[in-house]
Structures are given as structure tokens and as C-alpha cells.
Amino acid sequence: MSAEILNPDISRELTPGVVIAATLDTKPGEVELLLKAFKRHGLSYILVDCGVLGSSTMKPDISATQIAALAGSDIDDLRRLANREATLRTMMEGLSVCLDTLVSHGLVRGFFAMGGGTNTALASAAFARLPYGIPKLLVATTVSGDMSRIVDAKDVVLIHSVVDILGTGQYLRSLLDRSAAVMSALVTDAQAHRTSSPANCVGITAFGSTTRAANAAFERLNSLGHEVLVFHARGSGGRAAETFIREGRINLMLDLTTTEITDEVVGGFLTAGPTRLDAAVEKAIPQVILPGAIDMVNFGPMETIPAKFHGRQFLRHTPTTTLMRTSAEEAASVARFIASKLERATAPVAAIVPTRGFSAYDAEGAPFFDPIADQAFVEELEHALRADIPLIKIDAHINDPEVAELATDTLLQLARNNH
């Protein structure tokens, strides 16, 4: 359904401010406290009601009726349905459409949510939609647990409320006042540093076992005047890199560490999902791909490893991280994944393979050194890669300085070829 439900003249009807997504049917008193705190700190706001249990005497800027309609539903139908999960999903969808519209009109200065499970779910929908740089804050009891799926790859501030967001006592008054102060500082800072993305921004993916290579590439690109953003390739990092590319914040991609693909193909814990490598292809930016840390699959403690992998070669990386050596067959599957993604590339792209190992653990004398498995990757990539995409092999280890030099030189040459 069209976002015109909000009002075609929304840019004149609303003042830019922090979007507060709340359930006014269950938290009217608490929201009143928050609004007073916002006013004390000089924060303008746009109050969005996402409540479905009943009506409220508070008047929001955007009503629950409008939010439901943006998701193609009717608030009265949702209330009659009495299906909490279904109605929440509908309101999350409506909130997402609402935020898209508000952002497109330049009305969003930040996002604020508070509460328990319901409001945390609503916040997760907002985090997924809002661009990087827009302050995002959640005050909730839920933040003491695993928030990885809620935060995902976005820049979010979490405040543990300790007690439930319930009532209007002194503790809650103080908590909300301090939270409003944090939001005020975030908004002020975001406005002061609001700049367009540089035209020469390079993204690099890195991992602990490819840090030397990433550092060398960073230093070289930085010395040449490039803005460089380094993403930790642990699932959320890869997703963040893809989002930055789609938002136009990255113009060149040095995908040095593609270990997340191994986790996606084999079944590890740090996958970035099946869309990894899609963004650079879709946005047609030059990119260089390396097999950084594809020799390993990432798991948690030993007891978390699926039974089907028992008997494989493992290495305790930290007390909470166990690595599994990739087999030759798995390495070949990773090569096919990469080749299939690059098949659609229209911008210049190249693959670089250091033949003496793909990570600090995959070096002569190191625990995961396995030339046969690495060669399986190389042979499959040679076979599967589109014929016009260069595959450059270098007789060196991925962390050797000459690999970073070759990778950066190749990327910059591709950029020149793209103009």
C-alpha cells in the first residue's frame, strides 16, 4: 500500500525530529515521561503509535491506524484477530514503510524505542531500515540477552533498563531523562558530522588471521589519500559491508577476507548469509576478491559443534571460538560460490590467490596448513570463474606484504579502467 497514507504533504505537516516508536495502548504514562525528558533536553520528536491492543487518549503524530494501513491491514481487524505474533509482524512492516517515507522526506534525526519484547521487535524493524549515521537507541530489559539478531549490522546504542519500563516512579524518571540526554548528544553529534560519503572510499574485510594483510592494505590505500573502512568478517561485518555498498558509501571493494562464505557453505556460525558478494555486483563497483581465511569454519565452544562434524580437525581459537579446517571438497564449494556471484559482474573485478596459504593458521608449520585443500580451491575457481575475469596467482602467503601490494595495485588499476 502506498506511503501516501501518511499524507502527501508530510514534509510540511511534521517537524524533523527523533522518531519515537511506542505502544501507547500499554505505555501512555511512560511515554509521557519520555516526552517531558525530550523537551527538557530540547529534542523535537515524531511520536508513532504501534499499539494494537486498544486505543489511547494520547495523540500521536502517526497513529496505529496509519501504521497498520501502511502494511496493507486494518487496525480493527488486527485487534479482532488477537494473534500477537501476526499483528506484531504487521506493525513492524508498517513501521518500516513509515520510516522509509520519513527518511525520504528528511524528517528523521534519530530513532528511540523503549520497553520489553514487543518494543524490541519494533526497534529491530527500525534498525534494519534506517541508514548508518542516524542515531538509534533502545532502552529495554531485553538488551542484557543476545541482541545479535536485533542489532545485526547497524550502529545501535543499547541501554539496559534493569527494571521493566513500567510505571512512573523516580527510577524510571531518572532513567528516561538520562536516556534522553544520550539521544540529545547523539543527535547533536550526528548533525555536526553530517557529510556526504567520500568519492574514493574503499572497503576491506578482515579477520584476526588476516590482520597483517588488512593492515598493510589499509596503510597503503590511506597513504594514497583513500578513505578506508575495515569490516570484521564475522557475519555482521560482511552484512555491514554489503549495506555500505548499497548505500553508496563504498566505491571500491577489497574483499580480502571471504571466510563468511565458508561458514555459509559449510554451516558455520559466522555466515553473512547467501547474499554475500551481491552488493558490489549490483552496484557495479570495482572489486578484488581474495580467499582470506576460507581455510576455516567458525563455531562456538566445542560442545556447540554439530555432531556431523565430529572427527574433523579443530583448533581452539579462544575460549568461545572453535575453528574447523576446511576440506578440499568444501574449499571447492567456496570457489563455486564466489564464481557464481561474480558471473553477473559488469564492473571490473579480479581474483587474487596467494598460493602459500590463506590465513595465519594456513601457513607452513601452522595447524591448518593443507596445500591439497587450498589447491582444490584454486583449481575449482580456475574452472568456474568467468573467462574474462582475471585470476592472479602469487607465490606468497596472504599475510606477506607483497600480497597486499598486489591487491591494492590491482584494485586501483580496476578503478582507473572503470572511468
Side-chain angles (χ1 to χ4, degrees):
M1 187 170 289
S2 171
E4 291 180 358
I5 291 168
L6 287 181
N7 190 327
D9 296 322
I10 191 170
S11 59
R12 292 194 293 270
E13 295 290 328
L14 295 174
T15 300
V18 176
V19 175
I20 301 173
T23 50
L24 299 186
D25 50 0
T26 61
K27 303 288 183 186
E30 295 83 351
V31 173
E32 283 283 7
L33 281 183
L34 177 65
L35 298 186
K36 289 177 181 178
F38 266 48
K39 290 173 183 176
R40 282 194 297 274
H41 290 279
L43 283 169
S44 58
Y45 58 83
I46 299 171
L47 181 59
V48 180
D49 185 13
C50 298
V52 295
L53 297 180
S55 58
S56 171
T57 57
M58 290 188 70
K59 182 173 173 55
D61 295 294
I62 300 170
S63 69
T65 299
Q66 290 171 294
I67 294 298
L70 288 171
S73 188
D74 180 270
I75 192 65
D76 292 328
D77 290 341
L78 292 178
R79 286 169 178 161
R80 283 191 294 268
L81 183 62
N83 183 323
R84 184 179 182 279
E85 181 183 7
T87 55
L88 180 56
R89 287 189 180 279
T90 299
M91 298 305 278
M92 290 168 66
E93 180 182 346
L95 178 62
S96 297
V97 177
C98 173
L99 288 170
D100 286 346
T101 304
L102 295 176
V103 169
S104 69
H105 284 82
L107 292 169
V108 181
R109 296 291 179 265
F111 176 86
F112 188 104
M114 64 178 185
T118 296
N119 285 280
T120 296
L122 290 166
S124 71
F127 299 156
R129 306 300 293 198
L130 292 172
Y132 289 94
I134 291 181
K136 310 164 189 69
L137 193 153
L138 170 64
V139 183
T141 54
T142 55
V143 306
S144 64
D146 181 5
M147 294 293 288
S148 57
R149 292 183 179 275
I150 304 299
V151 173
D152 195 29
K154 287 303 179 74
D155 49 342
V156 175
V157 174
L158 303 173
I159 296 178
H160 184 207
S161 64
V162 184
V163 302
D164 200 2
I165 306 294
L166 181 65
T168 56
Q170 183 56 41
Y171 179 89
L172 193 59
R173 289 173 184 270
S174 175
L175 172 69
L176 295 183
D177 190 70
R178 286 181 283 117
S179 300
V182 171
M183 177 55 78
S184 178
L186 292 172
V187 170
T188 299
D189 187 72
Q191 291 299 109
H193 293 90
R194 187 179 295 274
T195 58
S196 58
S197 298
N200 60 345
C201 186
V202 183
I204 298 177
T205 48
F207 217 41
S209 57
T210 60
T211 296
R212 283 172 51 199
N215 284 344
F218 176 92
E219 293 297 336
R220 193 151 194 273
L221 290 165
N222 192 55
S223 69
L224 294 172
H226 293 270
E227 176 78 9
V228 185
L229 300 175
V230 181
F231 298 88
H232 191 190
R234 49 176 294 104
S236 60
R239 291 191 296 274
E242 301 272 315
T243 302
F244 268 64
I245 292 170
R246 288 194 171 92
E247 291 183 2
R249 296 171 180 267
I250 291 175
N251 316 101
L252 302 171
M253 189 65 193
L254 178 51
D255 221 333
L256 175 76
T257 309
T258 43
T259 185
E260 293 158 318
I261 295 171
T262 308
D263 280 40
E264 172 65 21
V265 170
V266 180
F269 286 8
L270 299 186
T271 174
T275 61
R276 184 73 169 84
L277 299 185
D278 283 352
V281 170
E282 293 166 4
K283 297 296 289 187
I285 67 168
Q287 59 176 322
V288 169
I289 310 289
L290 287 89
I294 67 137
D295 55 291
M296 63 186 69
V297 186
N298 296 270
F299 296 104
M302 285 293 294
E303 61 269 20
T304 67
I305 299 173
K308 65 179 179 179
F309 295 120
H310 287 179
R312 296 286 296 274
Q313 181 185 359
F314 296 104
L315 176 70
R316 288 184 183 273
H317 178 62
T318 71
T320 59
T321 305
T322 306
L323 308 178
M324 182 179 78
R325 210 317 171 176
T326 313
S327 68
E329 182 180 353
E330 290 161 350
S333 296
V334 173
R336 287 192 293 272
F337 182 103
I338 293 172
S340 69
K341 295 292 184 174
L342 300 185
E343 182 71 26
R344 300 178 292 110
T346 56
V349 58
I352 294 177
V353 178
T355 59
R356 290 182 179 267
F358 303 155
S359 82
Y361 290 128
D362 179 27
E364 189 169 359
F368 280 177
F369 188 56
D370 186 345
I372 295 175
D374 290 352
Q375 185 60 26
F377 171 86
V378 177
E379 291 177 357
E380 188 61 33
L381 191 61
E382 285 180 311
H383 171 74
L385 198 62
R386 204 174 71 194
D388 63 324
I389 296 177
L391 194 164
I392 306 166
K393 288 184 277 188
I394 177 172
D395 183 23
H397 184 269
I398 194 167
N399 284 325
D400 289 341
E402 54 265 41
V403 173
E405 182 177 351
L406 173 62
T408 53
D409 284 350
T410 301
L411 182 64
L412 297 178
Q413 183 59 54
L414 293 181
R416 288 189 287 271
N417 294 345
N418 201 41
H419 291 295

